[in-house]
């Protein structure tokens, strides 16, 4: 029972961190998505820099459109991080119990993180697809969640699932690097603290730096797949895109399109924007998670105690 509560505590604190970071950085996320989704054609580009997306929103008087799809994205982020952290904590605890090991090696950590990521991708893919379509639609023309999901076939709601499963390696790499760096840092601090002192925890600054570093490494290694996913899920607003065959929305079709129109460097278009957004987002998420995990644990234990007391009172009354 305590193990399940620990998993729930980890999942809740992670989900809260995701919700806050998603809301704070959402305008940047929208600019990034629209910039990544555009493919250069005939040497013409609508957006030459990430700032061009922001300037378009300002010049057209549609700054609030930078928040289009925020509700869906926040819901997707909250559910995704809850499922991920719960699965990661649960699989990690299960592995330690079954193997009898005191710690988890890098290879096992990667597998556990990938398994948790796969569960997350399958659970939240329709919301992920819908939020991407909302963000990449023309400013002021974003549709609601239900209309976005139902305007196509049910299978289209799972566009990019294959590449999402492939991208489970991204958080797997990120959290493995973060955990390894965290353990190394805490071991160094434990040596300098007294035995009877309170448990050593990461400071907010340390969690931020480790989160930024671990996410940077994961993003650089998986970025080509990230851009392909955005293009697969992007909405088709203009007539030229609508006239393209359906094959262009497959992984192979998107890869061929980038290669023909932009060359090998096209696979890394928007890398700086992705690193800026995801590093800030993940660093904030992990910092908030580290700071709220203890409070969340105390609240869950208090709630559990209240429920147990109520059950005892009901038993006494019925007796």
């Amino acid at each position: 029972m305590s193990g399940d509560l620990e998993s729930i505590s980890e999942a809740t604190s992670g989900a809260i961190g995701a919700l806050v970071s998603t809301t704070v950085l959402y305008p940047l996320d929208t600019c990034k998505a629209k910039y990544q989704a555009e493919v250069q054609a005939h040497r013409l580009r609508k957006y030459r820099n990430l700032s061009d997306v922001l300037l378009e929103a300002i010049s057209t008087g549609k700054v609030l459109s930078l928040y289009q799809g925020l509700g869906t994205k926040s819901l997707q982020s909250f559910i995704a991080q809850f499922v991920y952290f719960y699965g990661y904590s649960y699989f990690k605890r299960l592995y330690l119990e079954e193997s009898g090991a005191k710690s988890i090696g890098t290879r096992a950590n990667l597998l556990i993180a990938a398994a948790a990521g796969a569960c997350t991708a399958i659970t939240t893919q329709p919301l992920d697809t819908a939020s991407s379509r909302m963000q990449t639609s023309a400013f002021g023309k974003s549709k609601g969640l239900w209309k976005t999901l139902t305007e196509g076939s049910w299978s289209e709601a799972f566009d990019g699932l294959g590449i999402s499963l492939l991208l489970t390696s991204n958080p797997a790499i990120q959290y493995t690097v973060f955990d390894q760096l965290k353990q190394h840092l805490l071991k160094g601090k434990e040596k300098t603290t007294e035995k009877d002192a309170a448990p050593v925890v990461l400071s907010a600054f340390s969690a931020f730096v480790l989160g930024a570093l671990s996410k940077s490494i994961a993003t650089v290694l998986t970025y080509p797949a990230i851009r392909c996913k955005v293009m697969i899920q992007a909405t088709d607003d203009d007539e030229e895109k609508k006239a393209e065959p359906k094959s262009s929305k497959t992984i192979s079709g998107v890869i061929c399109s980038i290669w023909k129109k932009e060359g090998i460097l096209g696979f890394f278009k928007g890398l700086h924007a992705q690193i800026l957004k995801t590093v800030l987002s993940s660093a904030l998420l992990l910092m908030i998670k580290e700071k709220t995990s203890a409070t969340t644990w105390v609240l869950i234990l208090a709630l559990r105690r209240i429920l147990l007391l109520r059950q005892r009172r009901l038993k006494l009354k019925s007796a």
Side-chain angles (χ1 to χ4, degrees):
M1 182 66 178
S2 60
D4 289 334
L5 288 177
E6 184 179 350
S7 297
I8 293 173
S9 175
E10 285 286 311
T12 303
S13 58
I16 292 171
L19 188 62
V20 174
S21 63
T22 296
T23 303
V24 171
L25 299 171
Y26 194 75
L28 175 60
D29 192 27
T30 299
C31 292
K32 173 192 70 68
K34 290 181 74 68
Y35 181 65
Q36 288 174 321
E38 184 191 33
V39 179
Q40 179 178 340
H42 308 298
R43 296 184 179 278
L44 297 176
R45 283 185 183 178
K46 184 178 180 181
Y47 306 122
R48 292 187 176 276
N49 300 292
L50 185 66
S51 59
D52 290 344
V53 185
L54 177 62
L55 291 175
E56 180 190 8
I58 295 173
S59 62
T60 56
K62 296 178 179 177
V63 177
L64 291 180
S65 292
L66 291 172
Y67 290 91
Q68 59 191 26
L70 174 60
T72 300
K73 189 70 172 183
S74 297
L75 178 62
Q76 186 264 335
S77 296
F78 185 88
I79 295 174
Q81 293 303 322
F82 185 91
V83 173
Y84 182 85
F85 279 108
Y86 182 86
Y88 182 78
S89 179
Y90 177 80
F91 291 142
K92 185 177 180 180
R93 179 166 49 82
L94 188 64
Y95 172 82
L96 291 174
E97 290 176 356
E98 294 295 326
S99 65
K102 293 183 179 180
S103 61
I104 298 178
T106 302
R107 185 178 300 178
N109 212 341
L110 280 169
L111 291 174
I112 291 170
C119 293
T120 303
I122 294 170
T123 303
T124 63
Q125 188 62 39
L127 288 174
D128 188 26
T129 300
S131 64
S132 292
R133 289 176 182 171
M134 290 177 182
Q135 284 184 308
T136 55
S137 62
F139 287 131
K141 295 184 178 180
S142 176
K143 302 171 185 176
L145 173 58
W146 182 249
K147 193 171 183 180
T148 302
L149 286 174
T150 57
E151 64 181 356
S153 64
W154 178 245
S155 62
E156 287 177 355
F158 285 88
D159 275 350
L161 177 58
I163 207 164
S164 291
L165 292 173
L166 176 64
L167 283 171
T168 57
S169 58
N170 184 290
I173 295 170
Q174 176 195 353
Y175 293 118
T176 298
V177 172
F178 181 83
D179 272 351
Q180 296 301 315
L181 292 175
K182 176 183 174 181
Q183 289 176 21
H184 181 73
L185 188 61
L186 291 181
K187 282 181 180 178
K189 287 186 176 182
E190 286 174 355
K191 291 179 180 178
T192 59
T193 57
E194 297 179 1
K195 291 183 179 180
D196 297 332
V200 179
V201 296
L202 285 179
S203 65
F205 178 75
S206 296
F208 187 93
V209 172
L210 293 188
L213 180 59
S214 60
K215 192 60 181 181
S216 294
I217 294 172
T219 299
V220 172
L221 293 176
T222 60
Y223 186 74
I226 292 173
R227 196 195 171 197
C228 287
K229 179 187 173 185
V230 172
M231 291 181 62
I232 289 172
Q233 294 179 326
T235 189
D236 295 332
D237 279 327
D238 57 275
E239 296 299 323
E240 183 179 345
K241 284 186 178 179
K242 289 181 180 179
E244 291 181 357
K246 182 64 180 177
S247 61
S248 65
K249 302 296 287 186
T250 63
I251 296 176
S252 59
V254 167
I255 290 174
C256 289
S257 178
I258 295 174
W259 179 263
K260 289 178 181 178
K261 296 178 181 180
E262 299 179 340
I264 192 168
L265 292 180
F267 291 101
F268 292 92
K269 177 188 174 183
L271 174 60
H272 64 291
Q274 183 74 28
I275 289 178
L276 176 63
K277 185 267 169 181
T278 54
V279 165
L280 288 175
S281 177
S282 296
L284 281 172
L285 187 158
L286 291 170
M287 181 180 69
I288 294 168
K289 175 181 174 294
E290 288 293 321
K291 293 290 103 179
T292 59
S293 58
T295 304
T296 304
W297 176 245
V298 171
L299 291 174
I300 288 176
L301 287 179
L303 180 61
R304 180 194 177 193
R305 186 175 182 180
I306 292 171
L307 292 174
L308 288 174
L309 287 173
R310 284 186 178 181
Q311 287 180 354
R312 288 178 183 176
R313 288 175 183 175
L314 290 173
K315 286 181 180 180
L316 289 173
K317 286 181 180 181
S318 62

